[in-house]
Amino acid sequence: SIAIVGSINVDITTRSDRLPQPGETLHGHSYAINLGGKGCNQAVAASKLGGDAKLVGRIGKDGFGDIAAQHLADMGVSTEHVHLDETHGTGIAVIGVDANSENSIIVIGGANLAVDESDLDRSSDVLETAKIMLMQLEIPVETCQSAAKKVRASGGKVIFDPAPAPVHGLPEGFLQNVDVVTPNETETEILTGFRPTNAEEAAHAANLLREQGVAAAVVKLGARGVYFKDGESEGFVEPFKVNAIDTVAAGDCFNGGLAYALAGGKTLAEAVRFAAACGALSTTKHGAATSAPTLAEVEALMGA
Ligand code: ADP
């Protein structure tokens, strides 16, 4: 199975002509309530492809927690390991979007920030049986580090998406417990001090990342493509040509696809190409978790 240890949010998105100034009250047009959080998005992406995705995380005992659990269940993600937090509220993101699609976002981490060792203990069977574990940085980094050690001790592989960018750095030796790291340009710069803009520079950045102890570096350059390197292979995957209208969660769909392909025994080169198709397809639809493609859609794009 594919374990995802990560965040669960409810996104509340408002639409208005413009975003309010400090002290201002505006009337908007509409709002939507959706599942969000990188943990959820990546779990849904892997599940929609047909992966056996098990999400480990926390929600609060509140209406938003009920909404999150219902959405996860509707999208085929097991909520057996989504734990109820007695004291913290469910994580939310309040997202304002204006007529030009500019946005401003406030995230309240809530229960996500309390995910700790007790959650890993309660879900130890998930970590011990996972072929692949996906993690990101919307839960405490110490919890990620511990989860990575447990999964590897049981023979599983760890994919780490260093997002949001770890502006205060990672704990000493963190990447030594990771098999595959998948930063975008900004996250690569935070981790290495070097911002890649093309394949050659991404190759240099991948070497810097590998010097930090990670086996495989996958450097995502958004619409410019993606570079990968491990001990045996390296290469650049040109972007798939799609009509991109919304890049929200492209990285999450990429990671869900990467986990699905690696869990299915694909090589890194094959898995990165598959993941790039997933990321590209997600940009053709609005939304985060809801924009993840099906396996048939990915195969159609890859075959074309
Ligand atoms: P993040 O959301 O983490 O910043 P990216 O924006 O790099 O991630 O997108 C993740 C992946 O999705 C890219 O590496 C690429 O494979 C794919 N992708 C993103 N935007 C496009 C696009 N406009 N056209 C084709 N593929 C894209």
Side-chain angles (χ1 to χ4, degrees):
S1 63
I2 300 166
I4 300 94
V5 179
S7 56
I8 302 164
N9 282 339
V10 170
D11 289 355
I12 303 154
T13 306
T14 63
R15 297 207 167 254
S16 50
D17 285 339
R18 57 183 182 80
L19 298 170
Q21 300 294 318
E24 186 180 20
T25 298
L26 276 180
H27 284 280
H29 308 296
S30 62
Y31 74 95
I33 293 185
N34 285 301
L35 193 61
K38 292 178 193 299
C40 271
N41 293 345
Q42 296 186 14
V44 168
S47 172
K48 226 171 143 183
L49 291 165
D52 177 14
K54 297 203 165 79
L55 176 61
V56 179
R58 280 200 202 198
I59 53 177
K61 280 185 140 176
D62 50 27
F64 289 129
D66 297 340
I67 291 172
Q70 186 60 52
H71 277 251
L72 281 167
D74 289 348
M75 304 222 218
V77 177
S78 157
T79 53
E80 198 183 333
H81 300 276
V82 172
H83 306 136
L84 271 185
D85 190 308
E86 300 287 335
T87 50
H88 301 91
T90 303
I92 63 164
V94 182
I95 305 166
V97 181
D98 73 12
N100 299 318
S101 297
E102 291 291 339
N103 61 38
S104 68
I105 305 178
I106 295 176
V107 177
I108 305 291
N112 294 308
L113 304 182
V115 174
D116 66 11
E117 203 61 32
S118 70
D119 296 281
L120 306 182
D121 288 343
R122 284 171 73 182
S123 299
S124 57
D125 55 325
V126 175
L127 301 183
E128 280 161 14
T129 57
K131 230 173 176 175
I132 301 279
M133 194 252 304
L134 272 170
M135 57 185 198
Q136 320 78 26
L137 287 177
E138 289 179 338
I139 61 168
V141 68
E142 296 76 19
T143 309
C144 288
Q145 191 163 29
S146 178
K149 286 182 185 165
K150 286 178 201 276
V151 167
R152 291 183 108 200
S154 307
K157 282 199 168 158
V158 174
I159 304 177
F160 172 53
D161 184 17
V167 287
H168 302 297
L170 294 170
E172 187 67 30
F174 185 94
L175 288 180
Q176 289 166 21
N177 292 302
V178 172
D179 294 284
V180 185
V181 69
T182 61
N184 65 14
E185 295 105 316
T186 304
E187 293 144 11
T188 300
E189 183 174 17
I190 295 285
L191 292 175
T192 67
F194 178 77
R195 187 182 184 93
T197 61
N198 57 37
E200 198 182 322
E201 290 172 4
H204 175 62
N207 285 333
L208 296 176
L209 288 163
R210 281 169 41 84
E211 282 167 16
Q212 295 180 32
V214 63
V218 175
V219 179
K220 296 179 288 188
L221 303 176
R224 280 183 292 219
V226 53
Y227 176 85
F228 65 89
K229 179 170 187 174
D230 65 8
E232 285 120 44
S233 64
E234 66 178 301
F236 186 74
V237 177
E238 293 288 343
F240 285 92
K241 287 198 173 47
V242 291
N243 179 22
I245 57 166
D246 177 0
T247 60
V248 171
D252 290 335
C253 292
F254 180 98
N255 273 57
L258 188 68
Y260 173 83
L262 289 175
K266 297 272 192 264
T267 65
L268 183 68
E270 292 164 341
V272 169
R273 188 162 178 271
F274 183 91
C278 293
L281 283 168
S282 81
T283 71
T284 65
K285 289 184 193 155
H286 286 292
T290 48
S291 70
T294 63
L295 184 58
E297 289 170 329
V298 178
E299 284 174 344
L301 182 64
M302 290 180 76

